[in-house]
Amino acid sequence: RVQVAESGGGSVQAGGSLSLSCVPAEGNVSRYCMGWFRQAPGRRREGVATIYSDGTVKYADSVKGRFTISRDSAKNTMYLQMNSVEPGDAAMYHCAADFMPAAYLCAVDYRWESWGAGTQVTVSS
């Protein structure tokens, strides 16, 4: 299990942008499958995006074209750039990381077994 820490949440107006960051407690971001999922009160947990060690990225349909997942190995940080934010994007965003032997396992709906404490994203209309 890889411990991670998120940052960057906050309040944003609908249509605006926000960037989230995630840092693993050990190892480099380029070694893992890393991903974001979100949970809002009364709603099911929803996978948002993943990035595999080979650079393969995947997105939930709800964020495709608006969010971008990326990483910077030199800074050992993984990012989620959120553009054209919508009210439905408001949630607690959690980062997670794990070793996976193949890219197809690094799925957006992967059931992570450990994750960070989360960072809150609030959207005002």
Side-chain angles (χ1 to χ4, degrees), residues 7-117:
S7 62
S11 182
V12 60
Q13 280 195 323
S17 298
L18 198 64
S19 181
L20 308 183
S21 300
C22 175
V23 178
E26 58 182 296
N28 192 277
V29 291
S30 63
R31 300 177 63 194
Y32 304 116
C33 165
M34 297 189 71
W36 294 93
F37 67 90
R38 63 189 183 187
Q39 182 134 40
R43 296 175 63 179
R44 294 178 61 183
R45 188 170 86 171
E46 179 187 19
V48 175
T50 58
I51 182 167
Y52 188 55
S53 55
D54 68 357
T56 301
V57 297
K58 299 175 184 176
Y59 297 96
D61 288 343
S62 59
V63 306
K64 203 171 293 183
R66 301 187 297 117
F67 291 9
T68 302
I69 189 170
S70 64
R71 68 188 181 208
D72 185 328
S73 299
K75 295 182 179 179
N76 201 23
T77 303
M78 187 267 283
Y79 303 96
L80 184 70
Q81 178 64 40
M82 306 168 60
N83 296 331
S84 301
V85 173
E86 301 172 353
D89 296 323
M92 182 70 80
Y93 283 71
H94 297 273
C95 170
D98 207 347
F99 289 105
M100 292 185 192
Y104 78 92
L105 296 172
C106 188
V108 172
D109 60 354
Y110 179 72
R111 300 300 293 181
W112 303 98
E113 296 187 1
S114 66
W115 49 86

